[in-house]
Amino acid sequence: MSQNGVPDFAELLRSAQRTAVHLEMRDVYSVGDERDSFDEFLRTGRTDLDPDSPFWQGWTPLVRETVARGVQMRRARIVSEPVTDYIRWEHALTAVNVAVGEQVRWLPRRLASDIALPGNDLWLIDDRRVMFHWFTGDGDWAGHEFNEDPDVVKMVVAAFEAVWERGIDHEKFTV
């Protein structure tokens, strides 16, 4: 367990028994460990699509391990259109997420107006535990909050499922 009762993310994902879902709602993130890859994409239009490369080593082994245990991993992204450069880059990278076992859908923000959404991005594990992610105004990490309150979990489940139902499969979504 990490500080303030918030589990380490890898520990949280490894605890999943059935489902792990991720809701992303920002059009731009600016987390430090992505900066070089994003800058390369802006300069060249290319990105690292090798799931075994050093860029992906913090993620793809964990996803493969989780999916191999029978856990269904779904990621839904709500995006503004036209999309930002960051979302174009994220869309290009998503081929790796799908290749290692995640299911990914995209929902244009204009189609989410009548969905009651949580105020922050999140991971929901087994429809029981939520880890909210906080970001600064410019998109860098600002913190996390772990929540198991049944009312909060119920709201998150409803929001994610509504987004997922309306979302467009990655293979069909163009940027």
Short mmCIF file of all heavy atoms in Angstrom, two decimals, residues 3 5 24 27 68 102 131 147 149 171:
data_model
loop_
_atom_site.label_atom_id
_atom_site.label_comp_id
_atom_site.label_asym_id
_atom_site.label_seq_id
_atom_site.Cartn_x
_atom_site.Cartn_y
_atom_site.Cartn_z
N GLN A 3 1.32 5.60 0.04
CA GLN A 3 0.96 6.60 1.04
C GLN A 3 -0.52 6.95 1.05
O GLN A 3 -1.21 6.82 0.06
CB GLN A 3 1.80 7.85 0.84
CG GLN A 3 1.63 8.48 -0.52
CD GLN A 3 2.58 9.62 -0.74
OE1 GLN A 3 3.12 10.16 0.21
NE2 GLN A 3 2.79 10.00 -1.97
N GLY A 5 -3.11 5.57 2.15
CA GLY A 5 -4.09 4.52 1.93
C GLY A 5 -4.43 4.26 0.48
O GLY A 5 -5.33 3.49 0.18
N GLU A 24 -11.10 8.07 -19.36
CA GLU A 24 -10.25 9.23 -19.60
C GLU A 24 -11.11 10.33 -20.22
O GLU A 24 -11.85 10.07 -21.16
CB GLU A 24 -9.12 8.88 -20.56
CG GLU A 24 -8.18 7.83 -20.02
CD GLU A 24 -7.11 7.45 -21.03
OE1 GLU A 24 -6.51 8.37 -21.64
OE2 GLU A 24 -6.89 6.25 -21.23
N ASP A 27 -8.53 16.25 -22.93
CA ASP A 27 -8.05 16.35 -24.31
C ASP A 27 -6.54 16.50 -24.39
O ASP A 27 -5.96 16.32 -25.46
CB ASP A 27 -8.72 17.52 -25.04
CG ASP A 27 -10.18 17.24 -25.34
OD1 ASP A 27 -10.49 16.11 -25.79
OD2 ASP A 27 -11.02 18.14 -25.13
N ALA A 68 -4.25 -12.21 -18.94
CA ALA A 68 -3.99 -13.66 -18.87
C ALA A 68 -4.72 -14.29 -17.69
O ALA A 68 -5.04 -15.49 -17.73
CB ALA A 68 -2.49 -13.93 -18.80
N GLU A 102 -6.25 -4.91 -24.23
CA GLU A 102 -7.27 -3.94 -23.81
C GLU A 102 -8.32 -3.78 -24.90
O GLU A 102 -8.02 -3.91 -26.08
CB GLU A 102 -6.64 -2.57 -23.57
CG GLU A 102 -5.81 -2.46 -22.33
CD GLU A 102 -5.39 -1.02 -22.08
OE1 GLU A 102 -6.27 -0.16 -21.88
OE2 GLU A 102 -4.17 -0.77 -22.10
N MET A 131 -10.15 4.28 -8.28
CA MET A 131 -9.00 5.15 -8.08
C MET A 131 -9.18 6.34 -9.02
O MET A 131 -9.14 6.19 -10.24
CB MET A 131 -7.67 4.46 -8.37
CG MET A 131 -6.49 5.40 -8.15
SD MET A 131 -4.88 4.67 -8.53
CE MET A 131 -4.60 3.78 -7.01
N ASN A 147 -11.41 5.16 -3.56
CA ASN A 147 -12.75 5.26 -3.02
C ASN A 147 -13.50 3.94 -3.17
O ASN A 147 -13.51 3.36 -4.26
CB ASN A 147 -13.51 6.38 -3.74
CG ASN A 147 -14.76 6.79 -3.03
OD1 ASN A 147 -15.60 5.98 -2.70
ND2 ASN A 147 -14.90 8.10 -2.81
N ASP A 149 -16.74 3.79 -1.55
CA ASP A 149 -18.08 4.14 -1.13
C ASP A 149 -19.08 3.59 -2.15
O ASP A 149 -18.97 3.89 -3.35
CB ASP A 149 -18.22 5.66 -1.04
CG ASP A 149 -19.61 6.09 -0.63
OD1 ASP A 149 -20.52 6.03 -1.49
OD2 ASP A 149 -19.79 6.49 0.53
N GLU A 171 -10.97 0.55 -33.65
CA GLU A 171 -10.73 0.24 -35.06
C GLU A 171 -11.61 1.08 -35.99
O GLU A 171 -11.27 1.26 -37.15
CB GLU A 171 -10.96 -1.24 -35.34
CG GLU A 171 -9.97 -2.17 -34.65
CD GLU A 171 -10.24 -2.37 -33.16
OE1 GLU A 171 -11.38 -2.11 -32.69
OE2 GLU A 171 -9.30 -2.78 -32.45
#
